[in-house]
Amino acid sequence: MEMGKMPREQLGICAEGNLHSIYLMYNAEDNVEAQLRPCLASVAQYLYELTDQYADSAFNGFLAIGANYWDSLYPDERPALLRPFPAVQHQDFYAPAIEFDLFFHIRCDRYDVLHLVANEINQMLEGLVELVDEERGFRYMDSRDLTGFVDGTENPKGRQRQQVALVGEEEPRFQSGSYVHVQKYAHKLKQWHGLAQKEQEDIIGRTKQDDVEYASEDKLPSSHIKRVNLKDEQGKSKEILRQSMPYGSLRQQGLMFISVCHTPTHFEAMLHSMVKGDEHGHSDHLLRFTQALTGSSFFAPSLDFLLDAAVETY
């Protein structure tokens, strides 16, 4: 990459929402790193080019490397804050850590295109990795979670998306990359739908139909919004960019929660606030109706990092 030129981010990190998504989790075979580095660069370049080819259906995607696998793949350099998923438990609430080596996140407004690309990715990686988990997400109603509430209302807009999601000049080698956290939540929808609408709204901290946030004094300390809308010592919001979508079938359904951010500390603080709660023990009561099945930590490098690393000797 030319000196002084901003690295190109993987375009799926900050993309706007889509109708469909596919999530692929892989573990690498033993001793394949020398072959895998150029392969990942090829996949990343392929996804980048497909953004133009399928622009009419808003295709986008990115790939990310697991915190526990990073040193095997790129042993000489590591994002400063990359660390394993912060598993946490408090009383009946828990968020487990289930790490994977590689994560591929592709989205599009055409399901057939996504299916085609997922197969292409799988073929490009053949013999180097094992597919461990696959989920397919979808937009539900007007961008709502399966609980019926609008999801991602607090997401940054416009250029603010890049400022929140992408690493800046503080880490020059990893500039335009992003710290990624993924949790697969399974909802307990029968119990949730058994609640009165006002009970649901109190648990979320927002009205259901018209998506109006409660006034501060009306929010319960155990409400979801109260537990995740956090501020730092200077009073600035600890923002993340959520790229979450509902997933599932009649057997199991819920939310693929995906956080992308220039730092992992914002997500870690939110998760701690949800599960362990505040100093008075107020945990997020939404967790009574959904359970995280997985928790994985990744870093999505810039496209230029992946291309450069493909030709470097480690």
Side-chain angles (χ1 to χ4, degrees), residues 75-139:
D76 294 342
E77 47 194 349
R78 182 182 179 89
L81 300 178
L82 182 59
R83 48 192 175 240
F85 189 88
V88 60
Q89 181 167 1
H90 178 66
Q91 296 176 352
D92 294 335
F93 298 154
Y94 64 96
I98 307 223
E99 302 284 9
F100 301 95
D101 292 345
L102 300 170
F103 171 52
F104 293 80
H105 174 284
I106 54 175
R107 295 188 314 190
C108 191
D109 290 345
R110 283 180 54 182
Y111 187 76
D112 58 337
V113 170
L114 276 188
H115 188 77
L116 171 72
V117 174
N119 276 290
E120 291 285 344
I121 292 171
N122 212 45
Q123 289 172 22
M124 293 170 81
L125 296 169
E126 190 172 359
L128 301 176
V129 299
E130 176 192 3
L131 180 63
V132 182
D133 197 15
E134 172 188 358
E135 287 297 346
R136 302 191 173 213
F138 54 91
R139 182 183 295 171

Short mmCIF file of all heavy atoms in Angstrom, two decimals, residues 75-139:
data_model
loop_
_atom_site.label_atom_id
_atom_site.label_comp_id
_atom_site.label_asym_id
_atom_site.label_seq_id
_atom_site.Cartn_x
_atom_site.Cartn_y
_atom_site.Cartn_z
N PRO A 75 1.75 -14.04 12.89
CA PRO A 75 2.48 -14.10 14.16
C PRO A 75 3.30 -12.87 14.50
O PRO A 75 3.65 -12.67 15.66
CB PRO A 75 3.38 -15.33 13.99
CG PRO A 75 3.50 -15.52 12.52
CD PRO A 75 2.21 -15.07 11.93
N ASP A 76 3.59 -12.03 13.52
CA ASP A 76 4.50 -10.90 13.78
C ASP A 76 3.79 -9.60 14.13
O ASP A 76 4.44 -8.62 14.48
CB ASP A 76 5.39 -10.66 12.55
CG ASP A 76 6.35 -11.82 12.31
OD1 ASP A 76 6.55 -12.61 13.26
OD2 ASP A 76 6.85 -11.93 11.19
N GLU A 77 2.49 -9.57 14.04
CA GLU A 77 1.76 -8.31 14.29
C GLU A 77 0.35 -8.63 14.73
O GLU A 77 -0.29 -9.54 14.20
CB GLU A 77 1.76 -7.43 13.03
CG GLU A 77 1.40 -8.19 11.77
CD GLU A 77 1.73 -7.41 10.51
OE1 GLU A 77 2.05 -6.21 10.61
OE2 GLU A 77 1.67 -8.00 9.43
N ARG A 78 -0.14 -7.86 15.71
CA ARG A 78 -1.45 -8.15 16.30
C ARG A 78 -2.14 -6.84 16.68
O ARG A 78 -1.51 -5.93 17.24
CB ARG A 78 -1.27 -9.02 17.54
CG ARG A 78 -2.58 -9.45 18.22
CD ARG A 78 -2.30 -10.27 19.48
NE ARG A 78 -3.54 -10.65 20.16
CZ ARG A 78 -4.22 -11.76 19.91
NH1 ARG A 78 -3.78 -12.62 19.00
NH2 ARG A 78 -5.34 -12.04 20.57
N PRO A 79 -3.43 -6.71 16.39
CA PRO A 79 -4.17 -5.53 16.86
C PRO A 79 -4.04 -5.38 18.37
O PRO A 79 -4.14 -6.37 19.12
CB PRO A 79 -5.61 -5.83 16.44
CG PRO A 79 -5.48 -6.79 15.31
CD PRO A 79 -4.28 -7.63 15.60
N ALA A 80 -3.81 -4.17 18.84
CA ALA A 80 -3.42 -3.93 20.23
C ALA A 80 -4.45 -4.44 21.23
O ALA A 80 -4.08 -4.90 22.31
CB ALA A 80 -3.18 -2.44 20.44
N LEU A 81 -5.74 -4.36 20.90
CA LEU A 81 -6.79 -4.69 21.87
C LEU A 81 -7.51 -5.99 21.55
O LEU A 81 -8.54 -6.29 22.18
CB LEU A 81 -7.80 -3.54 21.94
CG LEU A 81 -7.24 -2.18 22.36
CD1 LEU A 81 -8.32 -1.11 22.34
CD2 LEU A 81 -6.59 -2.26 23.74
N LEU A 82 -6.98 -6.76 20.62
CA LEU A 82 -7.64 -8.02 20.27
C LEU A 82 -7.46 -9.05 21.38
O LEU A 82 -6.35 -9.37 21.77
CB LEU A 82 -7.06 -8.56 18.95
CG LEU A 82 -7.70 -9.86 18.43
CD1 LEU A 82 -9.20 -9.69 18.19
CD2 LEU A 82 -7.01 -10.32 17.16
N ARG A 83 -8.57 -9.55 21.89
CA ARG A 83 -8.54 -10.52 23.00
C ARG A 83 -9.76 -11.42 22.90
O ARG A 83 -10.73 -11.10 22.23
CB ARG A 83 -8.50 -9.79 24.34
CG ARG A 83 -9.51 -8.66 24.49
CD ARG A 83 -9.21 -7.82 25.72
NE ARG A 83 -10.08 -6.67 25.85
CZ ARG A 83 -9.64 -5.40 25.87
NH1 ARG A 83 -8.36 -5.13 25.76
NH2 ARG A 83 -10.49 -4.40 26.01
N PRO A 84 -9.70 -12.58 23.59
CA PRO A 84 -10.82 -13.52 23.51
C PRO A 84 -12.13 -12.91 24.00
O PRO A 84 -12.15 -11.89 24.70
CB PRO A 84 -10.37 -14.67 24.42
CG PRO A 84 -8.89 -14.58 24.45
CD PRO A 84 -8.57 -13.11 24.37
N PHE A 85 -13.21 -13.56 23.63
CA PHE A 85 -14.54 -13.09 24.01
C PHE A 85 -14.68 -13.09 25.54
O PHE A 85 -14.31 -14.06 26.20
CB PHE A 85 -15.61 -13.99 23.40
CG PHE A 85 -17.00 -13.46 23.58
CD1 PHE A 85 -17.55 -12.59 22.66
CD2 PHE A 85 -17.77 -13.82 24.67
CE1 PHE A 85 -18.83 -12.08 22.82
CE2 PHE A 85 -19.06 -13.33 24.85
CZ PHE A 85 -19.58 -12.45 23.92
N PRO A 86 -15.22 -12.00 26.11
CA PRO A 86 -15.30 -11.88 27.57
C PRO A 86 -16.49 -12.61 28.17
O PRO A 86 -17.50 -12.00 28.54
CB PRO A 86 -15.43 -10.36 27.76
CG PRO A 86 -16.18 -9.91 26.54
CD PRO A 86 -15.70 -10.79 25.41
N ALA A 87 -16.40 -13.93 28.27
CA ALA A 87 -17.50 -14.71 28.86
C ALA A 87 -17.82 -14.17 30.25
O ALA A 87 -16.93 -13.82 31.02
CB ALA A 87 -17.10 -16.18 28.96
N VAL A 88 -19.11 -14.10 30.56
CA VAL A 88 -19.52 -13.54 31.85
C VAL A 88 -20.79 -14.25 32.33
O VAL A 88 -21.63 -14.65 31.54
CB VAL A 88 -19.75 -12.00 31.73
CG1 VAL A 88 -20.84 -11.69 30.70
CG2 VAL A 88 -20.09 -11.38 33.07
N GLN A 89 -20.88 -14.42 33.66
CA GLN A 89 -22.04 -15.07 34.26
C GLN A 89 -22.40 -14.38 35.56
O GLN A 89 -21.53 -13.95 36.32
CB GLN A 89 -21.77 -16.56 34.52
CG GLN A 89 -22.96 -17.30 35.12
CD GLN A 89 -22.80 -18.81 35.08
OE1 GLN A 89 -21.78 -19.32 34.63
NE2 GLN A 89 -23.80 -19.54 35.55
N HIS A 90 -23.69 -14.26 35.79
CA HIS A 90 -24.17 -13.67 37.05
C HIS A 90 -25.53 -14.26 37.35
O HIS A 90 -26.49 -14.07 36.59
CB HIS A 90 -24.25 -12.15 36.93
CG HIS A 90 -24.78 -11.48 38.17
ND1 HIS A 90 -24.10 -11.49 39.38
CD2 HIS A 90 -25.92 -10.78 38.39
CE1 HIS A 90 -24.80 -10.82 40.27
NE2 HIS A 90 -25.90 -10.38 39.70
N GLN A 91 -25.62 -15.00 38.44
CA GLN A 91 -26.86 -15.68 38.82
C GLN A 91 -27.34 -16.54 37.65
O GLN A 91 -26.61 -17.40 37.17
CB GLN A 91 -27.89 -14.65 39.29
CG GLN A 91 -27.44 -13.92 40.56
CD GLN A 91 -28.39 -12.82 40.99
OE1 GLN A 91 -29.32 -12.47 40.31
NE2 GLN A 91 -28.12 -12.27 42.16
N ASP A 92 -28.55 -16.31 37.14
CA ASP A 92 -29.08 -17.14 36.06
C ASP A 92 -28.72 -16.63 34.67
O ASP A 92 -29.06 -17.26 33.66
CB ASP A 92 -30.61 -17.23 36.16
CG ASP A 92 -31.06 -17.97 37.41
OD1 ASP A 92 -30.27 -18.80 37.91
OD2 ASP A 92 -32.19 -17.73 37.88
N PHE A 93 -28.06 -15.49 34.58
CA PHE A 93 -27.71 -14.92 33.29
C PHE A 93 -26.27 -15.27 32.94
O PHE A 93 -25.38 -15.17 33.79
CB PHE A 93 -27.85 -13.39 33.31
CG PHE A 93 -29.26 -12.90 33.57
CD1 PHE A 93 -29.48 -11.65 34.14
CD2 PHE A 93 -30.36 -13.68 33.24
CE1 PHE A 93 -30.76 -11.19 34.38
CE2 PHE A 93 -31.65 -13.23 33.47
CZ PHE A 93 -31.85 -11.99 34.04
N TYR A 94 -26.04 -15.65 31.71
CA TYR A 94 -24.66 -15.92 31.30
C TYR A 94 -24.49 -15.71 29.80
O TYR A 94 -25.43 -15.86 29.01
CB TYR A 94 -24.23 -17.35 31.68
CG TYR A 94 -24.98 -18.46 30.99
CD1 TYR A 94 -24.46 -19.07 29.85
CD2 TYR A 94 -26.19 -18.92 31.49
CE1 TYR A 94 -25.14 -20.10 29.22
CE2 TYR A 94 -26.88 -19.95 30.87
CZ TYR A 94 -26.35 -20.53 29.73
OH TYR A 94 -27.03 -21.55 29.11
N ALA A 95 -23.27 -15.34 29.44
CA ALA A 95 -22.88 -15.16 28.05
C ALA A 95 -21.63 -16.00 27.83
O ALA A 95 -20.55 -15.63 28.29
CB ALA A 95 -22.62 -13.69 27.75
N PRO A 96 -21.76 -17.13 27.13
CA PRO A 96 -20.61 -18.03 26.96
C PRO A 96 -19.65 -17.55 25.88
O PRO A 96 -20.00 -16.71 25.04
CB PRO A 96 -21.28 -19.34 26.53
CG PRO A 96 -22.50 -18.89 25.78
CD PRO A 96 -22.98 -17.65 26.49
N ALA A 97 -18.44 -18.09 25.92
CA ALA A 97 -17.46 -17.84 24.87
C ALA A 97 -17.29 -19.11 24.06
O ALA A 97 -16.97 -20.17 24.61
CB ALA A 97 -16.12 -17.42 25.48
N ILE A 98 -17.55 -19.04 22.77
CA ILE A 98 -17.31 -20.15 21.84
C ILE A 98 -16.56 -19.55 20.66
O ILE A 98 -17.15 -18.87 19.82
CB ILE A 98 -18.62 -20.79 21.38
CG1 ILE A 98 -19.45 -21.15 22.57
CG2 ILE A 98 -18.34 -21.93 20.43
CD1 ILE A 98 -20.15 -22.41 22.62
N GLU A 99 -15.26 -19.75 20.63
CA GLU A 99 -14.43 -19.07 19.64
C GLU A 99 -14.33 -19.87 18.34
O GLU A 99 -14.36 -21.10 18.34
CB GLU A 99 -13.02 -18.83 20.20
CG GLU A 99 -13.00 -18.01 21.51
CD GLU A 99 -13.24 -16.52 21.31
OE1 GLU A 99 -13.60 -16.11 20.19
OE2 GLU A 99 -13.07 -15.76 22.28
N PHE A 100 -14.18 -19.14 17.25
CA PHE A 100 -13.96 -19.72 15.93
C PHE A 100 -12.73 -19.05 15.31
O PHE A 100 -12.36 -17.94 15.67
CB PHE A 100 -15.18 -19.50 15.02
CG PHE A 100 -16.45 -20.09 15.56
CD1 PHE A 100 -17.34 -19.31 16.30
CD2 PHE A 100 -16.78 -21.42 15.35
CE1 PHE A 100 -18.52 -19.83 16.80
CE2 PHE A 100 -17.95 -21.96 15.85
CZ PHE A 100 -18.83 -21.17 16.57
N ASP A 101 -12.14 -19.72 14.34
CA ASP A 101 -10.94 -19.16 13.70
C ASP A 101 -11.27 -18.08 12.68
O ASP A 101 -10.55 -17.08 12.58
CB ASP A 101 -10.15 -20.28 13.01
CG ASP A 101 -9.53 -21.26 14.00
OD1 ASP A 101 -9.46 -20.94 15.21
OD2 ASP A 101 -9.13 -22.35 13.56
N LEU A 102 -12.35 -18.29 11.94
CA LEU A 102 -12.70 -17.36 10.85
C LEU A 102 -14.20 -17.10 10.83
O LEU A 102 -14.99 -18.01 11.11
CB LEU A 102 -12.27 -17.93 9.50
CG LEU A 102 -10.78 -18.22 9.29
CD1 LEU A 102 -10.58 -19.00 8.01
CD2 LEU A 102 -9.98 -16.93 9.28
N PHE A 103 -14.56 -15.87 10.48
CA PHE A 103 -15.97 -15.47 10.38
C PHE A 103 -16.17 -14.75 9.05
O PHE A 103 -15.43 -13.82 8.72
CB PHE A 103 -16.32 -14.55 11.55
CG PHE A 103 -17.67 -13.90 11.45
CD1 PHE A 103 -18.82 -14.65 11.22
CD2 PHE A 103 -17.82 -12.52 11.62
CE1 PHE A 103 -20.07 -14.05 11.14
CE2 PHE A 103 -19.06 -11.91 11.54
CZ PHE A 103 -20.18 -12.68 11.30
N PHE A 104 -17.16 -15.20 8.29
CA PHE A 104 -17.52 -14.55 7.03
C PHE A 104 -18.95 -14.03 7.15
O PHE A 104 -19.86 -14.79 7.52
CB PHE A 104 -17.41 -15.52 5.85
CG PHE A 104 -16.00 -15.94 5.57
CD1 PHE A 104 -15.39 -16.93 6.34
CD2 PHE A 104 -15.26 -15.34 4.56
CE1 PHE A 104 -14.08 -17.32 6.09
CE2 PHE A 104 -13.95 -15.72 4.31
CZ PHE A 104 -13.36 -16.71 5.07
N HIS A 105 -19.12 -12.77 6.82
CA HIS A 105 -20.39 -12.08 6.98
C HIS A 105 -20.75 -11.50 5.62
O HIS A 105 -20.07 -10.61 5.11
CB HIS A 105 -20.18 -10.96 8.02
CG HIS A 105 -21.33 -10.04 8.25
ND1 HIS A 105 -21.68 -9.04 7.37
CD2 HIS A 105 -22.18 -9.92 9.29
CE1 HIS A 105 -22.70 -8.35 7.86
NE2 HIS A 105 -23.03 -8.88 9.02
N ILE A 106 -21.78 -12.05 4.97
CA ILE A 106 -22.19 -11.53 3.66
C ILE A 106 -23.68 -11.19 3.69
O ILE A 106 -24.48 -11.89 4.31
CB ILE A 106 -21.88 -12.53 2.52
CG1 ILE A 106 -22.48 -13.91 2.79
CG2 ILE A 106 -20.37 -12.64 2.32
CD1 ILE A 106 -22.31 -14.89 1.63
N ARG A 107 -24.01 -10.08 3.01
CA ARG A 107 -25.41 -9.63 3.01
C ARG A 107 -25.77 -9.10 1.63
O ARG A 107 -24.91 -8.63 0.87
CB ARG A 107 -25.62 -8.51 4.04
CG ARG A 107 -25.44 -8.95 5.47
CD ARG A 107 -25.85 -7.88 6.43
NE ARG A 107 -25.32 -6.58 6.05
CZ ARG A 107 -25.39 -5.50 6.83
NH1 ARG A 107 -25.96 -5.57 8.01
NH2 ARG A 107 -24.88 -4.36 6.43
N CYS A 108 -27.06 -9.15 1.33
CA CYS A 108 -27.52 -8.74 0.00
C CYS A 108 -29.05 -8.64 0.04
O CYS A 108 -29.69 -9.20 0.93
CB CYS A 108 -27.09 -9.78 -1.04
SG CYS A 108 -27.28 -9.29 -2.75
N ASP A 109 -29.62 -7.93 -0.93
CA ASP A 109 -31.07 -7.89 -1.05
C ASP A 109 -31.61 -9.01 -1.94
O ASP A 109 -32.82 -9.10 -2.15
CB ASP A 109 -31.52 -6.52 -1.57
CG ASP A 109 -31.32 -5.42 -0.55
OD1 ASP A 109 -31.10 -5.74 0.64
OD2 ASP A 109 -31.36 -4.23 -0.93
N ARG A 110 -30.71 -9.84 -2.46
CA ARG A 110 -31.11 -11.03 -3.23
C ARG A 110 -30.55 -12.27 -2.55
O ARG A 110 -29.33 -12.43 -2.42
CB ARG A 110 -30.59 -10.94 -4.67
CG ARG A 110 -31.39 -10.02 -5.55
CD ARG A 110 -30.81 -9.98 -6.96
NE ARG A 110 -30.67 -11.31 -7.57
CZ ARG A 110 -30.14 -11.51 -8.79
NH1 ARG A 110 -29.72 -10.49 -9.51
NH2 ARG A 110 -30.03 -12.75 -9.25
N TYR A 111 -31.44 -13.15 -2.17
CA TYR A 111 -31.03 -14.37 -1.47
C TYR A 111 -30.25 -15.30 -2.39
O TYR A 111 -29.31 -15.99 -1.95
CB TYR A 111 -32.27 -15.06 -0.92
CG TYR A 111 -31.99 -16.24 -0.03
CD1 TYR A 111 -31.55 -16.06 1.28
CD2 TYR A 111 -32.17 -17.54 -0.49
CE1 TYR A 111 -31.28 -17.14 2.11
CE2 TYR A 111 -31.91 -18.62 0.33
CZ TYR A 111 -31.47 -18.41 1.63
OH TYR A 111 -31.21 -19.49 2.45
N ASP A 112 -30.61 -15.34 -3.67
CA ASP A 112 -29.92 -16.24 -4.60
C ASP A 112 -28.46 -15.84 -4.77
O ASP A 112 -27.56 -16.70 -4.85
CB ASP A 112 -30.64 -16.29 -5.95
CG ASP A 112 -30.77 -14.93 -6.62
OD1 ASP A 112 -30.72 -13.90 -5.92
OD2 ASP A 112 -30.95 -14.89 -7.86
N VAL A 113 -28.19 -14.55 -4.81
CA VAL A 113 -26.80 -14.07 -4.91
C VAL A 113 -26.01 -14.49 -3.68
O VAL A 113 -24.87 -14.98 -3.79
CB VAL A 113 -26.76 -12.54 -5.10
CG1 VAL A 113 -25.34 -12.01 -4.95
CG2 VAL A 113 -27.34 -12.15 -6.45
N LEU A 114 -26.59 -14.34 -2.51
CA LEU A 114 -25.92 -14.75 -1.28
C LEU A 114 -25.60 -16.23 -1.29
O LEU A 114 -24.50 -16.64 -0.89
CB LEU A 114 -26.80 -14.44 -0.05
CG LEU A 114 -26.75 -13.05 0.54
CD1 LEU A 114 -27.51 -13.03 1.85
CD2 LEU A 114 -25.33 -12.58 0.74
N HIS A 115 -26.55 -17.03 -1.71
CA HIS A 115 -26.34 -18.48 -1.74
C HIS A 115 -25.19 -18.83 -2.69
O HIS A 115 -24.33 -19.66 -2.37
CB HIS A 115 -27.63 -19.18 -2.17
CG HIS A 115 -27.57 -20.67 -2.07
ND1 HIS A 115 -27.69 -21.33 -0.88
CD2 HIS A 115 -27.39 -21.62 -3.02
CE1 HIS A 115 -27.59 -22.64 -1.08
NE2 HIS A 115 -27.40 -22.84 -2.37
N LEU A 116 -25.17 -18.17 -3.83
CA LEU A 116 -24.09 -18.38 -4.81
C LEU A 116 -22.74 -18.01 -4.21
O LEU A 116 -21.77 -18.78 -4.30
CB LEU A 116 -24.37 -17.53 -6.05
CG LEU A 116 -23.25 -17.45 -7.09
CD1 LEU A 116 -23.11 -18.77 -7.82
CD2 LEU A 116 -23.51 -16.33 -8.07
N VAL A 117 -22.66 -16.85 -3.58
CA VAL A 117 -21.38 -16.37 -3.04
C VAL A 117 -20.91 -17.25 -1.88
O VAL A 117 -19.73 -17.55 -1.75
CB VAL A 117 -21.49 -14.89 -2.60
CG1 VAL A 117 -20.21 -14.43 -1.91
CG2 VAL A 117 -21.79 -14.00 -3.81
N ALA A 118 -21.84 -17.68 -1.03
CA ALA A 118 -21.46 -18.56 0.08
C ALA A 118 -20.84 -19.84 -0.44
O ALA A 118 -19.84 -20.33 0.11
CB ALA A 118 -22.68 -18.87 0.95
N ASN A 119 -21.40 -20.39 -1.50
CA ASN A 119 -20.82 -21.59 -2.10
C ASN A 119 -19.44 -21.31 -2.70
O ASN A 119 -18.53 -22.14 -2.59
CB ASN A 119 -21.76 -22.14 -3.19
CG ASN A 119 -22.84 -23.04 -2.61
OD1 ASN A 119 -22.57 -24.13 -2.14
ND2 ASN A 119 -24.07 -22.55 -2.62
N GLU A 120 -19.27 -20.15 -3.31
CA GLU A 120 -17.97 -19.76 -3.87
C GLU A 120 -16.92 -19.66 -2.77
O GLU A 120 -15.79 -20.14 -2.91
CB GLU A 120 -18.09 -18.43 -4.62
CG GLU A 120 -18.90 -18.49 -5.89
CD GLU A 120 -18.14 -19.16 -7.03
OE1 GLU A 120 -16.91 -19.30 -6.94
OE2 GLU A 120 -18.79 -19.57 -8.01
N ILE A 121 -17.28 -19.02 -1.66
CA ILE A 121 -16.35 -18.89 -0.53
C ILE A 121 -15.94 -20.27 -0.04
O ILE A 121 -14.76 -20.56 0.19
CB ILE A 121 -16.99 -18.08 0.61
CG1 ILE A 121 -17.17 -16.62 0.20
CG2 ILE A 121 -16.14 -18.16 1.89
CD1 ILE A 121 -17.99 -15.80 1.18
N ASN A 122 -16.93 -21.13 0.12
CA ASN A 122 -16.66 -22.48 0.63
C ASN A 122 -15.70 -23.24 -0.30
O ASN A 122 -14.80 -23.95 0.18
CB ASN A 122 -17.99 -23.23 0.76
CG ASN A 122 -17.98 -24.22 1.90
OD1 ASN A 122 -17.51 -23.91 3.00
ND2 ASN A 122 -18.47 -25.42 1.64
N GLN A 123 -15.88 -23.07 -1.59
CA GLN A 123 -15.00 -23.75 -2.54
C GLN A 123 -13.58 -23.17 -2.51
O GLN A 123 -12.60 -23.91 -2.62
CB GLN A 123 -15.59 -23.64 -3.95
CG GLN A 123 -16.84 -24.49 -4.14
CD GLN A 123 -17.54 -24.23 -5.47
OE1 GLN A 123 -16.92 -23.73 -6.41
NE2 GLN A 123 -18.82 -24.55 -5.53
N MET A 124 -13.48 -21.86 -2.35
CA MET A 124 -12.16 -21.21 -2.30
C MET A 124 -11.36 -21.66 -1.08
O MET A 124 -10.13 -21.70 -1.10
CB MET A 124 -12.32 -19.70 -2.31
CG MET A 124 -12.88 -19.15 -3.62
SD MET A 124 -13.33 -17.38 -3.53
CE MET A 124 -11.72 -16.62 -3.74
N LEU A 125 -12.06 -22.01 -0.01
CA LEU A 125 -11.41 -22.41 1.24
C LEU A 125 -11.25 -23.93 1.37
O LEU A 125 -10.72 -24.40 2.38
CB LEU A 125 -12.22 -21.91 2.43
CG LEU A 125 -12.36 -20.40 2.60
CD1 LEU A 125 -13.41 -20.09 3.65
CD2 LEU A 125 -11.03 -19.77 2.98
N GLU A 126 -11.70 -24.67 0.35
CA GLU A 126 -11.74 -26.13 0.45
C GLU A 126 -10.36 -26.72 0.78
O GLU A 126 -9.34 -26.34 0.21
CB GLU A 126 -12.24 -26.72 -0.86
CG GLU A 126 -12.55 -28.20 -0.77
CD GLU A 126 -13.22 -28.73 -2.02
OE1 GLU A 126 -13.46 -27.95 -2.96
OE2 GLU A 126 -13.50 -29.94 -2.04
N GLY A 127 -10.36 -27.63 1.76
CA GLY A 127 -9.14 -28.30 2.17
C GLY A 127 -8.35 -27.56 3.23
O GLY A 127 -7.42 -28.13 3.82
N LEU A 128 -8.72 -26.31 3.49
CA LEU A 128 -7.97 -25.49 4.46
C LEU A 128 -8.74 -25.30 5.77
O LEU A 128 -8.13 -25.05 6.81
CB LEU A 128 -7.65 -24.11 3.86
CG LEU A 128 -6.82 -24.11 2.58
CD1 LEU A 128 -6.67 -22.68 2.07
CD2 LEU A 128 -5.47 -24.76 2.80
N VAL A 129 -10.05 -25.43 5.72
CA VAL A 129 -10.88 -25.12 6.88
C VAL A 129 -12.03 -26.11 6.99
O VAL A 129 -12.35 -26.84 6.04
CB VAL A 129 -11.46 -23.69 6.79
CG1 VAL A 129 -10.36 -22.64 6.76
CG2 VAL A 129 -12.36 -23.55 5.57
N GLU A 130 -12.67 -26.09 8.15
CA GLU A 130 -13.88 -26.88 8.39
C GLU A 130 -15.01 -25.93 8.74
O GLU A 130 -14.87 -25.08 9.63
CB GLU A 130 -13.66 -27.86 9.54
CG GLU A 130 -14.90 -28.65 9.92
CD GLU A 130 -14.76 -29.40 11.24
OE1 GLU A 130 -13.70 -29.27 11.89
OE2 GLU A 130 -15.71 -30.10 11.62
N LEU A 131 -16.14 -26.05 8.05
CA LEU A 131 -17.31 -25.25 8.36
C LEU A 131 -17.94 -25.77 9.65
O LEU A 131 -18.37 -26.91 9.72
CB LEU A 131 -18.32 -25.31 7.21
CG LEU A 131 -19.61 -24.51 7.41
CD1 LEU A 131 -19.32 -23.02 7.53
CD2 LEU A 131 -20.59 -24.78 6.26
N VAL A 132 -17.98 -24.92 10.68
CA VAL A 132 -18.47 -25.34 11.99
C VAL A 132 -19.90 -24.87 12.22
O VAL A 132 -20.71 -25.57 12.83
CB VAL A 132 -17.56 -24.79 13.11
CG1 VAL A 132 -18.03 -25.27 14.48
CG2 VAL A 132 -16.11 -25.20 12.88
N ASP A 133 -20.24 -23.69 11.73
CA ASP A 133 -21.59 -23.16 11.95
C ASP A 133 -21.98 -22.27 10.79
O ASP A 133 -21.13 -21.58 10.20
CB ASP A 133 -21.65 -22.37 13.26
CG ASP A 133 -23.08 -22.15 13.75
OD1 ASP A 133 -23.99 -22.84 13.25
OD2 ASP A 133 -23.28 -21.30 14.63
N GLU A 134 -23.24 -22.31 10.44
CA GLU A 134 -23.80 -21.48 9.37
C GLU A 134 -25.19 -21.03 9.79
O GLU A 134 -25.99 -21.82 10.28
CB GLU A 134 -23.88 -22.28 8.06
CG GLU A 134 -24.62 -21.56 6.95
CD GLU A 134 -24.85 -22.44 5.72
OE1 GLU A 134 -24.41 -23.60 5.73
OE2 GLU A 134 -25.50 -21.96 4.78
N GLU A 135 -25.45 -19.75 9.63
CA GLU A 135 -26.80 -19.24 9.87
C GLU A 135 -27.18 -18.30 8.74
O GLU A 135 -26.32 -17.68 8.11
CB GLU A 135 -26.90 -18.49 11.21
CG GLU A 135 -26.86 -19.38 12.43
CD GLU A 135 -28.02 -20.35 12.55
OE1 GLU A 135 -29.02 -20.19 11.81
OE2 GLU A 135 -27.92 -21.27 13.37
N ARG A 136 -28.47 -18.20 8.50
CA ARG A 136 -28.99 -17.32 7.45
C ARG A 136 -30.00 -16.37 8.08
O ARG A 136 -30.96 -16.79 8.71
CB ARG A 136 -29.61 -18.15 6.33
CG ARG A 136 -28.57 -19.12 5.75
CD ARG A 136 -28.99 -19.80 4.48
NE ARG A 136 -27.85 -20.56 3.94
CZ ARG A 136 -27.61 -20.76 2.66
NH1 ARG A 136 -28.42 -20.24 1.76
NH2 ARG A 136 -26.56 -21.44 2.26
N GLY A 137 -29.71 -15.08 7.93
CA GLY A 137 -30.53 -14.06 8.54
C GLY A 137 -31.45 -13.38 7.54
O GLY A 137 -31.30 -13.52 6.33
N PHE A 138 -32.38 -12.61 8.06
CA PHE A 138 -33.37 -11.95 7.21
C PHE A 138 -33.88 -10.69 7.91
O PHE A 138 -33.90 -10.61 9.14
CB PHE A 138 -34.54 -12.89 6.91
CG PHE A 138 -35.19 -13.48 8.14
CD1 PHE A 138 -36.26 -12.85 8.76
CD2 PHE A 138 -34.70 -14.66 8.69
CE1 PHE A 138 -36.84 -13.38 9.90
CE2 PHE A 138 -35.28 -15.21 9.84
CZ PHE A 138 -36.36 -14.56 10.43
N ARG A 139 -34.29 -9.73 7.10
CA ARG A 139 -34.97 -8.57 7.67
C ARG A 139 -36.38 -8.97 8.04
O ARG A 139 -37.09 -9.59 7.25
CB ARG A 139 -35.01 -7.40 6.66
CG ARG A 139 -35.68 -6.15 7.26
CD ARG A 139 -35.78 -5.04 6.25
NE ARG A 139 -34.46 -4.56 5.87
CZ ARG A 139 -34.24 -3.70 4.88
NH1 ARG A 139 -35.26 -3.25 4.15
NH2 ARG A 139 -33.00 -3.30 4.60
#
